[in-house]
Amino acid sequence: MNATDIRAARAAAVQATMGRIRAIEATEGVSRAALARIESELQALARQQHLFPSGEFPPPEPGKKGSNRYLLDEQPDGRFALYMNALNPGNETKPHDHTTWAVVVAVEGQELNKVYRREPGRLLVDREIMVEPGRGIALMPDDIHSIHTTGSVPTRHLHCYGLALEKLDNRMAYDEKGEAIPYNRNFMKPTSAPRG
C-alpha cells in the first residue's frame, strides 16, 4: 500500500469511527458506559497501526519535550475532535481536568495516567492506568489526571475529545492541596494530518 492509499484508508477509517462515536454520544449521552463504548471504537481504529506510520506522525526531535499533535478529525463547531499525539519518553503534565469527556488509546508507546481525587486540603492518586496498545483511558469532564510518558519509545496515541482542545477555556490544573489554578495551555498548535 503506497502513501496515498494509506492516507485514503486512514481518512475512511477515521470518518467511520467518528460517525459511530457521535452516534454513541447522541443516543447514550456522556456516561462511563458510553465512554467505554467510545474507547472500544478507538481501540479498533488504533489496532490498524499501518494507517498511522511514525514517519507521518513523528514526535518532537529526540530529547525535546512537548508533543506534536496532529488533527485527524473535528466537526465544524469544534465537537468530536480526534488527534494523534506523539511524544518522546520523559514528558509529564500537572494534574488537570478537561471540562469535556476524553478517551485516549495507544497505537504505540506507553503513557502512565494518574487519576486523582480531591479531599479536603489534598489531592490524592486514586488509581494509575498505563495507556499502551490494547489499554486506554476514558475520562469524564471533571476527572483529574496527569500523564507521564514512560518506556523507551515515543508514544503515538489517539486522543478523542467531546470538544476540541483549542476551544477549552476553563481548564484547571491542581496543586498537591487540591487547589485549582488556570491550566497553562502550553501545547503545540495541532498540525493538520498528512493528506494525499
Side-chain angles (χ1 to χ4, degrees):
M1 195 179 273
N2 63 38
T4 301
D5 292 340
I6 290 171
R7 290 175 185 149
R10 178 172 62 239
V14 165
Q15 288 299 311
T17 299
M18 295 306 288
R20 290 189 297 272
I21 286 171
R22 289 191 298 273
I24 290 168
E25 192 196 88
T27 58
E28 299 182 32
V30 177
S31 66
R32 297 234 183 249
L35 294 185
R37 290 194 58 214
I38 289 171
E39 182 180 336
S40 293
E41 293 291 345
L42 287 175
Q43 290 287 8
L45 181 61
R47 283 193 294 273
Q48 299 178 68
Q49 291 183 345
H50 67 284
L51 298 179
F52 305 100
S54 58
E56 289 192 48
F57 299 98
E61 295 177 24
K64 297 265 180 145
K65 299 283 185 184
S67 67
N68 285 350
R69 186 165 38 251
Y70 302 90
L71 180 62
L72 297 173
D73 192 60
E74 178 184 348
Q75 294 294 287
D77 62 357
R79 296 287 326 280
F80 302 101
L82 178 65
Y83 305 88
M84 170 64 74
N85 206 25
L87 294 91
N88 289 316
N91 279 278
E92 62 181 42
T93 65
K94 293 179 178 180
H96 62 277
D97 62 23
H98 289 144
T99 69
T100 188
W101 61 261
V103 177
V104 179
V105 301
V107 173
E108 178 182 34
Q110 294 182 316
E111 175 186 281
L112 177 64
N113 278 252
K114 295 181 181 181
V115 181
Y116 300 84
R117 70 178 186 275
R118 291 171 80 186
E119 292 189 357
R122 58 190 180 158
L123 186 70
L124 299 173
V125 175
D126 189 55
R127 65 189 186 282
E128 295 185 355
I129 299 168
M130 182 65 77
V131 176
E132 57 193 347
R135 187 170 187 203
I137 187 169
L139 300 162
M140 294 290 283
D142 58 350
D143 284 345
I144 300 168
H145 81 133
S146 62
I147 64 169
H148 311 266
T149 53
T150 60
S152 59
V153 298
T155 64
R156 281 181 296 125
H157 290 184
L158 294 172
H159 289 232
C160 189
Y161 300 94
L163 184 64
L165 289 174
E166 298 75 30
K167 296 192 178 292
L168 302 178
D169 295 327
N170 297 312
R171 295 176 70 191
M172 302 301 282
Y174 298 85
D175 66 17
E176 64 278 352
K177 294 180 181 177
E179 298 199 14
I181 54 173
Y183 187 66
N184 178 4
R185 291 174 36 153
N186 184 20
F187 53 79
M188 296 184 67
K189 184 176 179 184
T191 304
S192 294
R195 305 216 186 272

